[in-house]
Amino acid sequence: MLIQRASDISSSEITPENLYHNRREWIKTASAILGLTAVGTIIPACAPTVGAAGEPQAKGKYDTTEKPTPFEDITSYNNYYEFGTGKDDPARNSKNFKPKPWTVKVEGMCKKPATYNLDDLIKGFATEDRIYRMRCVEAWSMVIPWAGFPLKTLIERLEPLPSAKFVEFKTLVDPNQYPEQRRSFLKVLDWPYVEGLRMDEATHPLALIATGIYGKPLPNQNGAPLRLVLPWKYGFKGIKAIVNIRFTDKQPVNTWQQQASQEYGFYANVNPNVDHPRWSQARERRIGEFFKRPTLMFNGYADQVSELYAGMDLRRYY
Ligand code: MTE
């Protein structure tokens, strides 16, 4: 993101040729998924309803009816700078990452601060399928069939105090597992990766904690064992491998804002009318497609979320 100049981002770099030309791979992936579904090896509890081509079908009120991006593309074209800055680095370098056992430290203005074993923290939560669009700030997009639970469910369990106005999330710091965290100079980012939300955003029904994709446990490169998914915001708000949740009365400074505040803000709502200083946000390339398509306000979720930002100047609060 930060380290590329607009002129460096050729279309072939944004969507590597193998992703949009290699139809054979898509068909292979789709049949593999169909095969898995047929023999019932996908975890039944969170297996999405699948269509004729083996793709998950929209069934809930939050699902898009757009065609999901193939599993292989979702899991091989990633941003996860702890594993490297190349799109294929996360899949390659995360093979030995250990998402289990996992603990999450909850702190700050809430009634239930503690260090929780992940299984205890989310015990009893029903897993839901959500097919969401994801729009990266770099102007590419995907349609991802997530499995997870509303962030609101978790927040309610932690009982924030009325004084808590924001919630902050942090990713794991573990140089043994993340190659980029072993660098002592020429660091790409300051670690840990940090994100934050206003409480009303965090408790919005669209805000999801994802624990799976395509009915399978979340792959390491996509943020196992738990990550945020906020479909109306740029993808960088979707912090991966969360180990820390803190309730606070001060607006957190997220990683990209800290890195380049003139380019990335706290809100990061998808907005085709506010360009990134180095490229247009009016259009996007859907991974797997050749032609660009228009970007929609709030990534097409305006009906659900615009109320959250009523009266705010979205050019100022970008
Ligand atoms: N979370 C952490 N910890 N580290 C990262 O580098 N990248 C973000 C977000 N979450 C990132 C992260 C960005 S820029 C995007 S676009 C999405 O993850 C990409 O999610 P995906 O790889 O599952 O598509």
Side-chain angles (χ1 to χ4, degrees):
M1 283 158 67
L2 174 70
I3 45 190
Q4 280 186 314
R5 305 205 171 278
S7 56
D8 295 340
I9 306 177
S10 66
S11 57
S12 59
E13 211 178 325
I14 289 175
T15 303
E17 276 192 34
N18 65 323
L19 290 187
Y20 55 82
H21 288 317
N22 201 342
R23 292 189 65 85
R24 280 179 179 216
E25 278 305 307
W26 304 354
I27 294 162
K28 225 169 59 192
T29 310
S31 354
I33 289 153
L34 180 63
L36 281 171
T37 310
V39 295
T41 45
I42 284 180
I43 304 164
C46 57
T49 314
V50 292
E55 292 154 359
Q57 298 285 292
K59 55 179 181 184
K61 62 176 173 176
Y62 302 117
D63 291 342
T64 170
T65 53
E66 289 170 74
K67 185 178 177 292
T69 302
F71 180 80
E72 182 168 299
D73 293 350
I74 296 172
T75 56
S76 63
Y77 188 82
N78 299 100
N79 276 337
Y80 198 166
Y81 278 23
E82 288 86 337
F83 286 119
T85 53
K87 293 287 183 269
D88 53 355
D89 286 339
R92 195 178 36 244
N93 297 335
S94 67
K95 292 196 170 66
N96 297 324
F97 184 78
K98 279 207 178 64
K100 223 178 163 141
W102 195 263
T103 52
V104 178
K105 186 174 182 187
V106 175
E107 7 174 29
M109 299 169 166
C110 72
K111 289 194 189 151
K112 299 280 175 59
T115 298
Y116 294 90
N117 180 300
L118 178 60
D119 296 338
D120 297 333
L121 184 68
I122 67 174
K123 205 180 206 142
F125 291 173
T127 305
E128 294 178 29
D129 298 312
R130 298 277 182 97
I131 308 177
Y132 282 163
R133 288 178 288 277
M134 183 178 86
R135 168 62 156 84
C136 177
V137 76
E138 295 163 339
W140 53 264
S141 63
M142 295 192 189
V143 174
I144 305 184
W146 301 102
F149 51 86
L151 174 57
K152 183 178 198 290
T153 314
L154 177 59
I155 287 185
E156 283 171 355
R157 176 165 286 182
L158 301 174
E159 297 183 40
L161 302 175
S163 50
K165 303 288 179 246
F166 300 90
V167 54
E168 181 191 73
F169 303 87
K170 288 184 186 149
T171 294
L172 177 70
V173 176
D174 184 353
N176 290 325
Q177 300 206 75
Y178 288 134
E180 286 298 325
Q181 292 182 347
R182 294 200 278 272
R183 284 180 195 275
S184 45
F185 64 100
L186 291 178
K187 289 199 289 179
V188 282
L189 293 174
D190 280 336
W191 314 110
Y193 194 95
V194 177
E195 260 308 335
L197 292 170
R198 242 170 37 192
M199 285 302 276
D200 59 346
E201 298 180 306
T203 52
H204 188 280
L206 281 173
L208 193 76
I209 293 275
T211 53
I213 287 178
Y214 267 94
K216 302 174 192 211
L218 200 60
N220 291 340
Q221 60 269 39
N222 294 93
L226 77 165
R227 58 134 347 134
L228 260 186
V229 177
L230 306 152
W232 72 98
K233 292 180 177 284
Y234 289 120
F236 71 81
K237 297 290 293 182
I239 182 171
K240 297 177 171 182
I242 297 166
V243 290
N244 196 288
I245 300 176
R246 192 169 65 90
F247 295 96
T248 167
D249 56 358
K250 296 195 181 55
Q251 184 171 301
V253 179
N254 53 324
T255 288
W256 283 102
Q257 190 186 9
Q258 183 192 325
Q259 206 68 25
S261 59
Q262 70 289 358
E263 302 197 353
Y264 309 103
F266 172 77
Y267 285 96
N269 291 314
V270 175
N271 190 339
N273 309 313
V274 178
D275 287 339
H276 185 280
R278 293 183 278 132
W279 59 84
S280 164
Q281 293 294 23
R283 298 171 75 74
E284 67 198 55
R285 190 183 306 284
R286 177 69 49 86
I287 297 298
E289 291 179 3
F290 188 79
F291 294 107
K292 286 191 177 178
R293 54 169 70 212
T295 286
L296 304 175
M297 189 64 206
F298 294 114
N299 200 22
Y301 297 94
D303 285 352
Q304 290 102 310
V305 300
S306 50
E307 192 74 350
L308 292 172
Y309 310 103
M312 284 174 66
D313 176 357
L314 298 178
R315 287 191 176 273
R316 184 161 165 229
Y317 297 102
Y318 56 88

